[in-house]
């Protein structure tokens, strides 16, 4: 495939940006990929492993002459980064992001985008519990959804060009209202992560269970919680603070559901529990049938490190 953008600038060089670079370079989707990370250590690793074509020392330098700029930093830092790069953006360039929250990012970034530059917020629904420049792999986005939340007045041609790039990296693209995005992600990602962090915290504080027992006798459910809770703490701190209304709404609904199950257990209401678990199991089957996870034995845990599960 011919290059879709001449120069792409990645601000932040973690899992998502690194995977984008690998996917774009593998398929020849950009003639040059330039990267910047705030941490000198991250920049050094990115240079060492050849993650991008060129690593530069500042975000402003990275975006000079770039046709596409990708903000791949924690959502709480988006506004400051946007302000830093604004004077250096090329007229006609597109700025997008990969943040898990959209309303807060739009409010923080949009005021800094110069006239003549296209701002198209986005969110790839792909990731692992790993972070950093060594964590990326080119197939991360394959058959995953990438949501775009274009702001009012977005140029349809710029949106389509970005969509073509995303599809070329293997993802499915869908446009969505920013507020609806934040509510959906509160259900499918944010609240589950908070529950996982909480359950691991409960185990940590349960003094009757020693640390060695928690690790030694860890069952599949707890292992899954610890995998989710191993995600980048800075990123998730910002997600919960920036999407607090939707998360608190879903947490309230979760608490109500939990009380219902708690009563069923206390009252020995087996039929209710069986019916509830039967309905929720259907959602898991639907996710597998949609190709969004693997039905491999042991949930694909035996796959080699970095290998993407096959649907």
């Amino acid at each position: 495939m011919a290059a879709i953008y001449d120069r792409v600038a990645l601000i932040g060089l973690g899992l998502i940006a690194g995977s984008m670079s690998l996917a774009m370079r593998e398929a020849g989707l950009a003639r040059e990929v330039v990267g910047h990370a705030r941490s000198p250590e991250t920049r050094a690793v990115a240079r060492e492993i050849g993650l991008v074509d060129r690593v530069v020392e500042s975000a402003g330098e990275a975006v000079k002459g770039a046709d596409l700029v990708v903000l791949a930093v924690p959502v709480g830092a988006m506004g400051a980064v946007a302000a830093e790069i604004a004077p250096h953006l090329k007229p006609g360039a597109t700025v997008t992001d990969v943040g898990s929250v959209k309303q807060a990012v739009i409010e923080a970034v949009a005021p800094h985008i110069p006239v003549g530059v296209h701002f198209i917020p986005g969110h790839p629904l792909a990731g692992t519990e790993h972070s950093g420049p060594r964590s990326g792999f080119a197939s991360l986005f394959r058959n995953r959804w990438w949501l775009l939340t274009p702001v009012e007045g977005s140029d349809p041609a710029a949106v389509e060009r970005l969509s073509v790039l995303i599809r070329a990296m293997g993802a499915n693209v869908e446009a969505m209202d920013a507020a609806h995005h934040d509510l959906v992600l509160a259900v499918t990602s944010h609240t589950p992560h908070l529950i996982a962090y909480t359950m691991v915290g409960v185990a940590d504080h349960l003094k009757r269970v020693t640390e060695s027992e928690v690790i030694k006798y860890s069952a599949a459910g707890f292992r899954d919680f610890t995998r989710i809770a191993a995600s980048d703490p800075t990123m998730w701190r910002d997600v919960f603070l920036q999407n607090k209304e939707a998360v608190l709404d879903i947490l309230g609904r979760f608490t109500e559901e939990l009380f219902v199950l708690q009563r069923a257990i206390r009252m020995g209401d087996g039929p209710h529990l069986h019916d509830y678990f039967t309905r929720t199991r259907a959602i898991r089957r639907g996710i597998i049938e949609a190709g969004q996870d693997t039905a491999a034995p042991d949930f694909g845990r035996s796959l080699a490190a970095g290998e993407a599960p096959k649907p």
Side-chain angles (χ1 to χ4, degrees):
M1 175 175 278
I4 298 167
Y5 293 97
D6 284 335
R7 179 178 296 171
V8 175
L10 302 173
I11 310 303
L13 293 172
L15 169 66
I16 299 297
S19 296
M20 288 185 69
S21 179
L22 294 171
M24 287 187 290
R25 296 171 75 198
E26 182 180 273
L29 305 178
R31 290 191 171 86
E32 183 184 30
V33 180
V34 181
H36 167 73
R38 179 182 57 83
S39 163
E41 292 78 13
T42 299
R43 296 197 299 271
V45 171
R47 286 193 184 98
E48 175 192 338
I49 65 177
L51 186 62
V52 294
D53 296 313
R54 185 160 52 95
V55 178
V56 298
E57 299 303 304
S58 72
E61 183 182 356
V63 305
K64 287 180 180 177
D67 303 288
L68 175 66
V69 176
V70 181
L71 305 182
V73 299
V75 293
M78 293 280 186
V81 172
E84 180 182 352
I85 65 174
H88 308 285
L89 291 170
K90 170 184 173 181
T94 292
V95 175
T96 189
D97 77 292
V98 296
S100 181
V101 178
K102 294 275 69 78
Q103 290 185 103
V105 167
I106 291 171
E107 292 172 3
V109 173
H112 301 291
I113 301 299
V115 174
V117 173
H118 310 291
F119 177 41
I120 309 171
H123 178 206
L125 305 187
T128 71
E129 69 272 28
H130 304 295
S131 59
R134 298 185 188 274
S135 60
F137 52 97
S139 62
L140 176 66
F141 310 112
R142 196 168 297 161
N143 200 34
R144 299 296 179 243
W145 285 97
W146 197 306
L147 303 179
L148 296 179
T149 60
V151 297
E152 185 177 354
S154 293
D155 180 5
V159 174
E160 178 57 24
R161 188 181 184 188
L162 179 59
S163 299
V164 169
L165 174 73
I166 293 169
R167 293 188 189 101
M169 291 190 291
N172 306 305
V173 183
E174 186 163 310
M176 184 177 288
D177 173 75
H180 186 64
H181 166 280
D182 289 355
L183 180 62
V184 169
L185 267 294
V187 175
T188 63
S189 176
H190 304 166
T191 304
H193 272 81
L194 190 62
I195 293 168
Y197 279 117
T198 303
M199 192 60 234
V200 176
V202 167
D204 183 52
H205 288 95
L206 192 59
K207 302 304 182 183
R208 290 172 299 171
V209 180
T210 68
E211 181 179 357
S212 62
E213 287 176 323
V214 169
I215 294 172
K216 182 177 180 180
Y217 303 125
S218 171
F222 188 73
R223 289 201 305 271
D224 284 340
F225 276 140
T226 60
R227 177 184 59 78
I228 295 171
S231 300
D232 180 59
T234 300
M235 179 185 77
W236 283 102
R237 175 202 65 193
D238 288 358
V239 164
F240 292 124
L241 293 178
Q242 299 295 331
N243 197 29
K244 62 181 179 181
E245 289 185 9
V247 169
L248 290 173
D249 178 19
I250 300 305
L251 273 177
R253 296 169 187 263
F254 171 79
T255 302
E256 292 171 2
E257 294 282 310
L258 192 60
F259 282 149
V260 172
L261 290 178
Q262 187 176 5
R263 176 178 173 79
I265 293 170
R266 180 179 293 112
M267 301 301 293
D269 190 348
H272 178 85
L273 293 173
H274 185 272
D275 178 63
Y276 193 94
F277 299 153
T278 299
R279 287 187 287 112
T280 54
R281 182 173 66 170
I283 294 177
R284 172 63 184 174
R285 289 176 173 172
I287 290 172
I288 293 172
E289 289 171 2
Q292 297 304 299
D293 205 349
T294 177
D298 202 26
F299 297 98
R301 291 189 186 92
S302 60
L303 291 171
E307 182 182 348
K310 295 179 176 59

